[in-house]
Amino acid sequence: MIRRTALLLRWTAVSGVVAAAALLLALRSAAPGGRAVVAGDLSVEGLTDVQRRGLPPDLPRIRLREAGREAGLLRAPFAGRRTRALPEDMGTGVALADFDGDGDLDLLLAGSGPLGEGGPCLLYRNDGGLRFADVSAAALPAVRLVGMGAAAADADGDGDVDAFVSGFGDSLFLRNRGDGTFEDGTDAAGLRAPGFGASAAWADLDGDGDLDLYLCRYVEYRDDDGLRAAASSQYGLRIPAALNPSTFPPAPNLCFRNRGDGTFEEVAGAWGIANPAGRSLGVAAADLDDDGLPEVYVANDVSDNALFRNLGGGRFEDASYPSCTADYRGAMGIAVEDLDGDALPEILVTHWLAQENALYHNLTALAAGGRGPSLFFTDAAEPLGLGSPSLDGVKWGAVFSDLEGDGAPDLLVACGSTFEEAADPSRLRPEPPLLFWNGGARRGFFECVRAAGEEAARPRVARGLAAGDLDGDGDEDFVATVHGEPPLLLVNETPAAGPRITVRPRGRGGNTRGIGARVAVTAAGRTRVRRVGASPSYLSTSSTDLVFGLGGDGPPERVEVRFPSGAVRILERPGEGLVTVEE
């Protein structure tokens, strides 16, 4: 641990020198002919070009094939023409879950549309063979929302997957009838959430065995034609005040405690986790200090991020500043993954234009000093190659996924501008996604989306992003929501570097999908750790089945699952493929 930390600090110092030199070079190398440089103009060489690293010769043949249309994903979750209002531009999300209990992953998309109209949510049933059927009309209640997040979980502990859809003005709780069709259970459950809802996370926050719901709320938005006419200047561009989050005060977040009888009560203020000063967009409920209790980390836009350490029994302490994660940037999405093999997860946070992604390296074990856990992080995005390449775009959903199965998690980031097209202000500017291949601890990450295929790299106005094995071939595929277009389906066709194992935890009581479970897979003496439901992306829900690539380590020797209840289940020599572990 100490050697790894020393290396990290050394590379941080080196990167600071490199960044300063690159900045000086960029300032000296003015745009040709003295032309003004506008943020996002990729025709002008500058800082990000100097900092960008070439692709290594051992980059695998990464292939992400766009298959949405052929798979039957034909409808856009945003219905209608945008009217230049902030709630219309921030969504929407997608949830990947087996809603009908047939063993494969279906797609639920939060519906949206113009203010005053909204749009219906969409449900695509997975019929196998990478074919999806639009069953929205038959399976979902006829409710229209200016929707944002889609958070899926078995909220009532009856064995099937429900979903909470956040939005501007209202929310929707979709209670699963047990056959993949849903009823509006919002009022019956006590999950009505007015305001401007954003990302939501299900987790057993108070340790009583069932799932609670944490809901981000963004700003106290008001629809005002005068704000559409008023404007501010950002990077030389005219931005309507109605689209600038700084125009509006932040809104406190909500937390709904599960009473265990199918109803919820709001307790964010009582538990001290409302974060009233944050313009909250993303949230992760993840065990960051490996003590079995999920922390709450909140990504805030143009306000300090917040980290609440879980002390058990509904008690939390604000660890935002002591942990060095209270960063003030335009934060959007969150991805959580153990990148260095110490069983403590790192936190990636995506940001707005001209703000590089943050990668909070978890140094909690070192900071403890034998006195017990003390949450502590340092931003290692730049030395690990995740910083400068992300400056040119507006970043949203993000997921870590081991594309080729070599045991090192790669990173996919959805991008899409918040600036309008000059020729048509009803449309937003598309941007290409970011794809970072993990070259290992010594080399870090390399941005390589163009190597993944022309369709994968095509610019879009993407927002939510989720991962799961949609075609049953053992690796993770990806679904992203795109503003004004049908969802993007990227099928992973990267050749495998070795065997894989997929672990499907199944819990008891009120947490049937084992959300919060710690899963450790050992092969050739090396152990990889992932946590169920810990990585939320942006407004989205990835599969609770965890895929582990083993690379050249050979078949798995051992699987250990520690459930939130404290129960531990161990499988020796479980074999490859899908393995179900019962609590």
Side-chain angles (χ1 to χ4, degrees):
M1 173 68 74
I2 294 174
R3 180 177 180 274
R4 173 166 51 81
T5 304
L7 286 172
L8 175 65
L9 295 174
R10 184 184 308 165
W11 276 108
T12 302
V14 171
S15 69
V17 174
V18 173
L23 179 59
L24 179 61
L25 178 61
L27 291 174
R28 288 184 174 179
S29 302
R35 176 163 62 90
V37 177
V38 177
D41 183 355
L42 303 184
S43 67
V44 179
E45 293 184 355
L47 176 60
T48 58
D49 300 279
V50 173
Q51 293 276 70
R52 191 179 298 275
R53 300 192 293 172
L55 297 181
D58 59 337
L59 180 76
R61 190 168 61 85
I62 297 173
R63 173 66 176 171
L64 298 178
R65 179 173 64 88
E66 203 289 314
R69 181 164 293 278
E70 68 182 71
L73 307 181
L74 304 178
R75 293 173 64 193
F78 186 91
R81 184 182 179 89
R82 66 180 286 271
T83 65
R84 311 179 77 193
L86 185 63
E88 298 171 355
D89 293 358
M90 303 303 291
T92 60
V94 56
L96 306 187
D98 181 8
F99 291 111
D100 56 5
D102 65 354
D104 49 29
L105 294 174
D106 311 300
L107 275 63
L108 173 70
L109 295 108
S112 186
L115 292 190
E117 299 179 22
C121 296
L122 303 179
L123 181 63
Y124 287 98
R125 185 188 67 216
N126 192 335
D127 288 336
L130 214 60
R131 296 293 304 172
F132 292 84
D134 186 347
V135 296
S136 309
L140 298 177
V143 176
R144 298 179 71 89
L145 295 171
V146 181
M148 287 282 287
D154 181 6
D156 50 14
D158 64 355
D160 47 51
V161 181
D162 314 296
F164 178 83
V165 181
S166 64
F168 172 68
D170 212 345
S171 56
L172 175 64
F173 177 56
L174 295 170
R175 185 181 182 279
N176 197 326
R177 296 189 179 102
D179 57 359
T181 68
F182 297 84
E183 62 187 14
D184 182 350
T186 313
D187 289 325
L191 288 173
R192 186 71 62 188
F196 193 162
S199 294
W202 293 98
D204 184 5
L205 295 176
D206 56 1
D208 64 354
D210 46 34
L211 296 176
D212 311 300
L213 178 70
Y214 190 92
L215 173 63
C216 292
R217 292 199 298 177
Y218 190 29
V219 295
E220 301 286 357
Y221 181 83
R222 69 182 190 278
D223 187 21
D224 186 333
D225 288 338
L227 292 177
R228 287 185 173 87
S232 60
S233 178
Q234 293 176 291
Y235 298 110
L237 300 174
R238 185 178 182 276
I239 307 299
L243 299 180
N244 186 345
S246 297
T247 303
F248 310 99
N253 298 334
L254 305 176
C255 182
F256 295 94
R257 187 184 74 86
N258 193 328
R259 293 189 178 105
D261 59 0
T263 67
F264 296 78
E265 63 175 334
E266 206 285 306
V267 296
W271 287 2
I273 55 177
N275 188 213
R279 295 176 176 88
S280 302
L281 286 175
V283 58
D287 182 5
L288 300 175
D289 52 11
D290 204 27
D291 66 351
L293 302 173
E295 275 65 55
V296 175
Y297 184 73
V298 184
N300 291 321
D301 192 9
V302 290
S303 43
D304 292 343
N305 293 344
L307 173 56
F308 301 102
R309 182 175 171 227
N310 195 333
L311 303 177
R315 297 177 301 116
F316 293 83
E317 67 176 8
D318 189 340
S320 308
Y321 297 102
S323 66
C324 294
T325 59
D327 197 0
Y328 186 105
R329 279 186 269 183
M332 314 288 191
I334 306 173
V336 177
E337 192 78 23
D338 175 17
L339 297 179
D340 57 5
D342 65 354
L344 293 172
E346 277 64 54
I347 307 171
L348 179 119
V349 180
T350 62
H351 292 117
W352 197 63
L353 180 69
Q355 300 172 6
E356 67 274 18
N357 293 331
L359 191 282
Y360 296 113
H361 182 209
N362 196 332
L363 299 177
T364 293
L366 182 65
R371 298 183 302 275
S374 177
L375 290 168
F376 183 72
F377 297 80
T378 185
D379 188 352
E382 196 59 51
L384 290 178
L386 295 171
S388 297
S390 66
L391 284 167
D392 287 329
V394 181
K395 290 78 64 182
W396 303 88
V399 292
F400 285 105
S401 179
D402 187 356
L403 294 175
E404 77 274 39
D406 66 348
D410 310 299
L411 175 67
L412 179 64
V413 181
C415 299
S417 183
T418 54
F419 293 137
E420 298 172 332
E421 292 276 16
D424 182 1
S426 71
R427 300 181 63 84
L428 299 171
R429 296 183 182 182
E431 295 177 339
L434 295 168
L435 177 63
F436 294 92
W437 176 68
N438 190 339
R442 291 181 178 273
R443 295 186 296 171
F445 291 82
F446 297 84
E447 205 289 312
C448 61
V449 72
R450 291 178 179 83
E454 182 178 347
E455 274 303 300
R458 183 168 73 84
R460 297 174 174 88
V461 185
R463 294 293 187 260
L465 177 66
D469 184 3
L470 293 168
D471 53 8
D473 66 351
D475 58 30
E476 289 179 309
D477 311 297
F478 310 94
V479 177
T481 57
V482 182
H483 196 283
E485 296 183 23
L488 169 67
L489 169 59
L490 293 176
V491 179
N492 186 6
E493 295 183 344
T494 305
R500 288 186 174 95
I501 182 173
T502 299
V503 181
R504 175 178 291 172
R506 285 294 180 262
R508 295 179 179 176
N511 187 0
T512 63
R513 294 304 187 273
I515 290 178
R518 179 188 189 273
V519 180
V521 173
T522 301
R526 184 161 65 130
T527 299
R528 301 164 175 85
V529 174
R530 305 189 73 189
R531 289 167 171 82
V532 179
S535 192
S537 185
Y538 174 71
L539 304 178
S540 300
T541 307
S542 292
S543 173
T544 54
D545 294 347
L546 298 184
V547 178
F548 292 79
L550 304 178
D553 290 344
E557 300 165 355
R558 173 187 169 101
V559 171
E560 178 181 302
V561 179
R562 185 181 73 193
F563 288 90
S565 66
V568 177
R569 300 291 179 263
I570 296 173
L571 300 180
E572 302 288 353
R573 304 199 176 278
E576 301 172 26
L578 176 63
V579 174
T580 299
V581 181
E582 303 280 352
E583 184 175 1

